[in-house]
Structures are given as C-alpha cells and as structure tokens.
Amino acid sequence: MRHHLADATALLPAAGAPCTADHPPRRPLANRWIALPALTTYLAFDEPARPCHCRPPLAADCDFFPPVIPHTTETEVAWRLHRATAHPHLAAELATAVFTAASTTQLSTVHVHDLGPEASTITLHDDGLRQGCMTHHVPLWARPLLMAARRCWDIATGTSGPLFTDPLGSTGLPHLTTFAESCKLRPPQPPRPAPRKRKTGTAPRPRQQQKTVWPVCTVHYGLASVMLEPDQMRGCPYPPPHTRKTIARRKNGWLPPDYGLRELQPPR
C-alpha cells in the first residue's frame, strides 16, 4: 500500500512553551526527617477535657506563642501533608498539632463548630490545665486540610461531631504518631551517641535507623497539681519558650541551657 510520512508538526497545532507551573517546586528538605519542636508536647497523660462551647480569646492574648516554623520547613510540611493520605481528618489533626503545639487531649476536644469561617481560626479546649481554652489563627497552608475535614462531616452526617475523627467509620487507620512518622515528621530527637572508633581495615557498619522517641512534656501545663507529674522527655530537648517573658529572655541569652528541667527550676 502506497503511503506518505507526514511531519507531526504539520498536522498538530504547535505546542506552546512549557508552563512553569507544571514543574514540581524545588524541595530542599525532600526525603529528609523534619524535627518539629511543636510535636514535643503532643503526647499527654491527662484525660480528655469536658465538652465546651466557650468563645475563648486568641492564643497571643493568652500569652501563648507556638514555635515558629521556618518558611522552607513550612512549605515542605504542607507539601507532605497535602499528599499523605486520603483521610482528611488525619492530615488536619497533624497540621493542627504542628501550628498550635497542642496535645492529644486538646485536639480531641475540637468539634466542627470550633472551626471559624473559611477555617481561618480554630478553638482548642483544655479545661484550664495549660493556658486555658484559646483560639489559634490557622496558617494558609493548613486551611484546605481543615476545610476538607469539616466538609467530610457535612457530607457524611451534617452534624457537628469531633473534627479529627472519621465520620465514615474507617477502620485500621494509623495512630497520629505513626502517621507523622510516615510523613517523616517527628519531635527533636535525643542526641546520637558518638560513633565508636573502628579498627583500621574493618568495613564500616551500616547505619541503622533509630526508632522515633515521642516524649511526654508538661512544660505548657499551668496547674500546680499537674506540675507535680514528672516529665518523660527520654532525652529529647525541651520545646522553645512560649510566653512573651521567656521568649524575650531567650533572645537576650538569659535562659539557662537546661531550660525546662524541673529539678533545676527555682521553687514557686
């Protein structure tokens, strides 16, 4: 059969210049573990607080300032959480822990009605154990995750249930610490032991991945009865100061290097 070969450019419209928006963003922290000081206070030993319908002040008005995340780290955390799971409540809960330094008991008190318009704010309750109930501003990168969690509740039941639970009743979902580790997010870890000197000529041992340590830190608690509970930091560093006074002291270099250790703090 007689045929002719035609140039594709003669038959198809000319392709435009490649759009820069289609290229994936540069990720300096890709495939690296990210240590987030806000996750140091995630695990807690106290029971969930009672249901609350208060309208608390902003966190800054309560003199509470969660750890600041550098822009590069924030961009990478947002990238991972937006692609980590098909269950929006998991990504939304971990995102909230990242930008509020909240504990498990505080996160469990959040209901759908505690989310502000367009997910611009979120209210956490703690029954006065720490700084009291307070409202946090939601950063732009976390708002789609929180809105997706709320939308899931609207579609499933139309009621105001606990925001960070699955209204569809999915089973076998990971615990939030396991989910965080799958995203390579964790609290700052204890310092690694110094490597032993090996004999000349011996092959170096493969470096084993250390298991993530999740401490139980009570540095944000305010009640005297809770302050008697021992910290279980397990070698992890304490989170940064969270009040105006302690932040100013740290900027001036006045905080001791062992900030947070109970046995070295002056009696109240």
Side-chain angles (χ1 to χ4, degrees):
M1 181 180 293
R2 298 181 61 182
H3 62 278
H4 297 278
L5 295 177
D7 188 1
T9 55
L11 301 178
L12 300 176
C19 180
T20 55
D22 295 337
H23 291 278
R26 183 175 174 271
R27 299 168 53 212
L29 301 178
N31 302 319
R32 293 174 55 183
W33 280 96
I34 297 178
L36 298 172
L39 295 180
T40 306
T41 51
Y42 171 69
L43 292 187
F45 55 82
D46 52 301
E47 296 296 326
R50 53 184 171 80
C52 184
H53 292 81
C54 65
R55 293 184 177 273
L58 293 174
D61 296 332
C62 297
D63 199 20
F64 182 85
F65 299 90
V68 178
I69 307 176
H71 178 69
T72 305
T73 305
E74 183 183 77
T75 304
E76 178 64 22
V77 170
W79 193 94
R80 295 183 189 184
L81 291 183
H82 278 266
R83 292 160 177 80
T85 178
H87 299 278
H89 69 282
L90 281 178
E93 185 176 9
L94 184 54
T96 305
V98 167
F99 68 80
T100 63
S103 68
T104 51
T105 52
Q106 290 174 297
L107 294 171
S108 64
T109 63
V110 180
H111 282 61
V112 177
H113 65 262
D114 290 315
L115 204 57
E118 300 299 321
S120 57
T121 59
I122 188 170
T123 298
L124 303 179
H125 310 277
D126 68 3
D127 211 8
L129 286 177
R130 296 163 184 81
Q131 309 292 324
C133 304
M134 63 181 69
T135 299
H136 294 262
H137 284 297
V138 180
L140 293 176
W141 63 266
R143 293 182 186 183
L145 301 173
L146 293 170
M147 290 176 67
R150 176 167 63 185
R151 185 60 180 160
C152 195
W153 270 94
D154 293 341
I155 294 173
T157 63
T159 60
S160 181
L163 182 64
F164 300 134
T165 58
D166 186 9
L168 303 176
S170 303
T171 56
L173 298 182
H175 188 267
L176 199 68
T177 54
T178 307
F179 174 63
E181 291 176 34
S182 70
C183 300
K184 288 196 170 183
L185 305 176
R186 63 185 179 185
Q189 297 295 286
R192 287 177 175 269
R196 293 183 179 179
K197 292 184 178 179
R198 57 187 181 88
K199 296 179 181 178
T200 7
T202 57
R205 294 181 180 180
R207 195 173 185 179
Q208 296 181 350
Q209 177 63 45
Q210 286 188 337
K211 187 178 179 182
T212 299
V213 176
W214 287 87
V216 180
C217 179
T218 58
V219 71
H220 290 168
Y221 284 75
L223 291 184
S225 57
V226 181
M227 295 294 286
L228 298 176
E229 293 287 342
D231 289 328
Q232 300 175 20
M233 295 301 297
R234 301 171 62 191
C236 294
Y238 275 77
H242 58 278
T243 65
R244 289 184 180 91
K245 183 177 180 180
T246 52
I247 290 173
R249 281 185 174 181
R250 185 176 189 180
K251 287 180 180 178
N252 290 311
W254 295 344
L255 275 178
D258 46 20
Y259 160 76
L261 293 177
R262 297 280 177 76
E263 58 272 18
L264 300 178
Q265 289 179 355
R268 296 191 175 189

